[in-house]
Amino acid sequence: MVTFRFIPYHEIQPLSSAKRINKLLKIVKDESIVVMEGRLKREEEVDLIEITMEEISPKFKGIELSVVYPDKKDQSNMQRVRGAFANVLLGDRTGLTIIGPASVVKKIEKNPNKIELFMNDNSPRYRKKSARKKK
Amino acid sequence: MVKKFLQNLFKKLKFNPFGRRSHIKLGLYGPPNGGKSTLANRICQDWLGEEMSSVSHIAHETREIMIKEQVNIKNKKGKELTFSLVDTPGIATRIDYEDFLKRGMKKTQAKKRAKEATKGVIDSIKWLDNMDAVIVVLDSTKDPYSQVNITIIGNLQARDIPVLLVANKIDLKRSNIEVIESAFPQYSVVGVSAKYGKQIEDFYESVFKLVK
């Protein structure tokens, strides 16, 4: 079984960068896949990688991360201005961020509007399930 | 703190009274096994006659920041450029010591390598702010749309650091520079084979343009 946890933007919006990252990492370390509305700031993405590295252990092997973001090249100038205003007022909630534990998600491929998650066959959850079946 | 503020301000104004132009720090960044150290060795061999880093097929061979001071290169017009070359550990979001076990390492050795590799990633990220220009080395046989690549390049852009993309391993059949060009259309991409020196002159010309 694979668990997805949806995080709406309003759930992370009031948090500081450090708290946002900690919240997301906590869910991922619990072996759930985060599907977050919107995206982290660029510097938060790099902080997420840095903190992930600090927490690597034989149990926690890191994360797989992917962000789907609409291609703004196709937007008209009016749409861009409206989007910029909406971002200022409501925060940048366009796009989708997926963060999975490396023990569960083998890799995420993006192409660029499609996302494919390749799962690890030997993730702890799979192993537990198959062990139960054998009994 | 005031000095850092002024440095950032002057950097934005393209003026730096704290450092001479000859002290440019040119960083090699990218995911593991893209060929950063092979390219660093190629540059050092070509201009200093010596190697800089050890290379390996096993990921995370470079686990510490390596610096080669005073690398002086010349272009066809005789123009010279001196910089410090900084070879960084590959940036990754996952490091599993079991991957090293599969490559024939002993458990203690694999765990040690994994621990050093995580520290290497952290150091690479911390060093981003020290760079004057960055060469992002990508394996042209692999999918460039990985979030690590996008995050590195996005952060360099946010820091106003000039970026050159190197599509390495063009000697391999599966190499596809066009995919990298379409993934990052706002950047110049130069294809090279750091291992065999293929198109290395084009690369040096691009470095001159990067640090002009």
Side-chain angles (χ1 to χ4, degrees), chain A residues 42-43 45-46 49-50 52-54 56 58 61-67 73 102 105-106 109-110 112 120, chain B residues 91-98 111 118 121-122 125-126 128 143 145 147 150-151 154-155 157-158 185:
Chain A
R42 282 169 172 167
E43 57 272 24
E45 274 179 23
V46 90
I49 298 176
E50 201 177 331
T52 300
M53 286 299 120
E54 282 167 4
I56 293 261
K61 291 164 183 185
I63 58 168
E64 278 298 314
L65 167 71
S66 193
V67 181
K73 276 186 289 183
V105 183
K106 195 174 176 185
E109 271 188 13
K110 198 170 70 173
N120 265 329
Chain B
I91 297 181
T93 56
R94 62 191 295 159
I95 293 170
D96 185 354
Y97 80 92
E98 288 179 20
K111 281 188 173 176
T118 58
V121 176
I122 295 166
I125 292 169
K126 288 199 195 307
L128 273 173
D143 173 23
Y145 288 99
Q147 196 57 39
I150 295 164
T151 301
N155 268 272
Q157 190 183 28

Side-chain angles (χ1 to χ4, degrees), chain B residues 156-209:
Chain B
L156 291 166
Q157 190 183 28
R159 288 166 161 89
D160 274 336
I161 298 171
V163 174
L164 169 68
L165 298 188
V166 166
N168 192 22
K169 307 190 186 182
I170 57 163
D171 53 295
L172 299 176
K173 270 187 180 176
R174 283 171 291 128
S175 163
N176 191 343
I177 305 173
E178 289 78 23
V179 184
I180 297 176
E181 284 170 337
S182 63
F184 304 103
Q186 65 275 48
Y187 295 100
S188 332
V189 180
V190 59
V192 298
S193 165
K195 191 175 178 182
Y196 299 108
K198 210 173 164 186
Q199 292 190 25
I200 204 73
E201 289 304 324
D202 295 346
F203 164 74
Y204 291 130
E205 282 302 322
S206 303
V207 173
F208 271 93
K209 283 179 196 160

Side-chain angles (χ1 to χ4, degrees), chain A residues 94-110:
Chain A
T94 44
L96 204 65
T97 303
I98 297 174
I99 312 166
S103 55
V104 177
V105 183
K106 195 174 176 185
K107 64 174 178 174
I108 304 176
E109 271 188 13
K110 198 170 70 173

Side-chain angles (χ1 to χ4, degrees), chain B residues 2 22 30 60 89 99 103 109-110 137 152 158 162 165 177 180 185 195:
Chain B
V2 174
S22 60
H60 300 287
D99 290 339
R103 305 301 293 260
Q109 199 187 359
V137 185
I152 299 170
L165 298 188
I177 305 173
I180 297 176
K195 191 175 178 182

Side-chain angles (χ1 to χ4, degrees), chain B residues 79-96:
Chain B
K79 210 174 150 190
E80 289 188 35
L81 177 69
T82 307
F83 53 83
S84 296
L85 186 63
V86 185
D87 185 16
T88 65
I91 297 181
T93 56
R94 62 191 295 159
I95 293 170
D96 185 354

